[in-house]
Amino acid sequence: MKKSEYHHGNLRQALIEAGIELMNEVGEDGVSLRKVAARCGVSQAAPYAHFESKADMLNAMQEHVTGQMMQVLEAAVAEKEVSAYENMLRLGEAYVSFFIEHPAYFKFICYSPQVKFRLVWEEEKEVYPPYGLFRRCADACLREIGQPEETKLYCLANLWATVQGIACLATQPNVEYAGDWKKDLRRILTDGKEM
Amino acid sequence: MKKSEYHHGNLRQALIEAGIELMNEVGEDGVSLRKVAARCGVSQAAPYAHFESKADMLNAMQEHVTGQMMQVLEAAVAEKEVSAYENMLRLGEAYVSFFIEHPAYFKFICYSPQVKFRLVWEEEKEVYPPYGLFRRCADACLREIGQPEETKLYCLANLWATVQGIACLATQPNVEYAGDWKKDLRRILTDGKEM
DNA sequence: ATGTAATCTTAACACTGTCAAGTTTATTTT
DNA sequence: AAAATAAACTTGACAGTGTTAAGATTACAT
C-alpha cells in the first residue's frame, strides 16, 4: 500500500456519497457499512472514525440528500416576478418531482429520526428545511390571498398534507397514479385557495 | 421435551402474531426471525417450514394487520341510514385513526411490496383492500353529490391523497400535528365536495 | 524533533438470514 | 395394524452484518 493512500483525505464525504449511491442501486435495506467502506476502498471499521454508528451515517446521508433537495427547491422559488401563490405551486411541484425522480428518498427522509417539525404557524428552527421553506411560501401565499388569520393554520395543514400525500402516493412501490399528478396537485392546491 | 410439544400445532399463526407483537415493541427493524421463533418456543429454523423467507413472513404479517384494519373499516361504514358522503368521511377517519393507534403500521403496510393498486376508477382486484373499500365509498359519495363523470377520477385522487397524506403526516415520527386532524380531515374532504 | 491526536487496519464478538442433514410426529397407503 | 410417506421441527453450519478493542500509520502542533 502506498503511504499516500493510508489517509483517504475526505473519507467522511466519500462514505456519504457512496452510501447514497448504493441506496439508489439496491435500496435502503441493502446498504451496509461494510459495503460502503469497501466501495471507498477502506476497511470495515474505517467509518467509525467519522460516524458513531450506522444510524449516524444514515442520518448524515439524509442531511446530504435534503441539502441537495433544498437547492432544487430554492431554485424553484427564485423568480421574483411571480405571485406568491404561483410560487407555492411551483414549490409543491418541485418537492414532489424530486421524490419521484428519486423514489427511495421519500421513505428514507420522511421516516428519518432526524426529521422533526411541528405543523404550527410560528417560525421555528425546523429540522426539516423543506417544510420551513414551504411554510414561508404558504404564509406569503395566504397573505396575498387575504386569508383570515383564524383559518391559516388549517390551510397550512391542508396544503402540506396535500403535497406530502401526493409525494407519498407517487413514491409508493406498485402504486400507479393514473392521472397527471402535476396537474392534479396544482388543481387541488388551487381549489383549496378559496377556503 | 414432551412429545406433545414437538409439533406446535399452529406455529404459522403464532409466528405472525409474535412478529407483530415484536414489531410494535421494538419497531420493524428490530424484528428478526430468530427472536420471533424464540418467542414461540421453537428453534431458529422452524419458521422455514411455514415461510419461504423473512420477507415472506413480513408479507404474511402485513396481510394479517391489513385484515384487522379491514374489520375496523367495515365496521365504520356498516350503518345503513347515513349518507354516502358521511360514510366516506367516517371511513377516512377510521383509516387514519387506525394508523395513529398503531404508528409502526403505516410505513410497514404502505411500503410493503405486496400492496398494489392503481388510482383509477374501474373496479379492480386491488391487492390493498382498504383502498378498494375507499374507492367504492368515494364512488357512492360522488354519485350522491352528482359529480360529473369527467372529474370523478380527479376527485378520487384528491380524496385518497388527502386521507393518505394525513395518515402519513400523523404517523411520521417527530412530527407534531398541532391541529385536530380529525376535524381537519373532515373539513378538507368537505371543502373538496363542491369541486 | 518530538509528542499527540487523527485516521486507518486487523481481529474478534454476537447477531442475523438461510440452508443441509437428520429427528420426530402426523398422515396416508397397503 | 404395519409400513411408507409427508409434514414439522432441531441441530449445526455458513456468510454477512454492526460494533469494539488493540495496534499501526500518518498528520499536526509544540
Side-chain angles (χ1 to χ4, degrees), chain B residues 136-167:
Chain B
R136 289 192 291 279
C137 283
D139 189 20
C141 173
L142 294 177
R143 200 183 306 262
E144 184 181 83
I145 292 173
Q147 189 73 20
E149 207 55 46
E150 62 271 21
T151 58
K152 276 173 67 180
L153 179 56
Y154 159 74
C155 286
L156 174 66
N158 188 351
L159 295 171
W160 182 246
T162 300
V163 171
Q164 195 80 344
I166 302 260

Side-chain angles (χ1 to χ4, degrees), chain A residues 55-121:
Chain A
D56 192 29
M57 190 188 75
L58 290 175
N59 284 340
M61 285 166 54
Q62 185 267 320
E63 269 181 44
H64 190 257
V65 169
T66 303
Q68 291 179 322
M69 174 160 61
M70 278 306 282
Q71 289 190 316
V72 175
L73 298 185
E74 271 156 1
V77 296
E79 285 187 40
K80 288 294 173 194
E81 64 271 14
V82 299
S83 66
Y85 173 66
E86 172 65 23
N87 234 9
M88 195 209 56
L89 286 179
R90 289 186 186 179
L91 178 58
E93 279 175 12
Y95 184 75
V96 179
S97 279
F98 184 83
F99 283 125
I100 288 183
E101 286 161 21
H102 309 279
Y105 287 178
F106 186 82
K107 194 181 164 194
F108 178 57
I109 290 180
C110 290
Y111 288 86
S112 156
Q114 278 195 311
V115 167
K116 300 178 190 171
F117 61 88
R118 298 179 60 220
L119 244 169
V120 298
W121 203 250

Side-chain angles (χ1 to χ4, degrees), chain B residues 3 6 32-35 44-45 48 53-54:
Chain B
K3 293 180 179 182
Y6 192 98
S32 82
L33 269 181
R34 291 166 112 107
K35 282 189 215 153
Q44 48 186 254
Y48 285 87
S53 62
K54 181 185 181 183

Side-chain angles (χ1 to χ4, degrees), chain B residues 148-191:
Chain B
E149 207 55 46
E150 62 271 21
T151 58
K152 276 173 67 180
L153 179 56
Y154 159 74
C155 286
L156 174 66
N158 188 351
L159 295 171
W160 182 246
T162 300
V163 171
Q164 195 80 344
I166 302 260
C168 177
L169 272 184
T171 56
Q172 245 176 289
N174 307 317
V175 172
E176 259 185 67
Y177 198 116
D180 176 350
W181 72 262
K182 220 172 223 183
K183 212 178 70 188
D184 285 349
L185 174 63
R186 196 167 259 270
R187 190 164 158 195
I188 297 174
L189 295 181
T190 306
D191 287 340

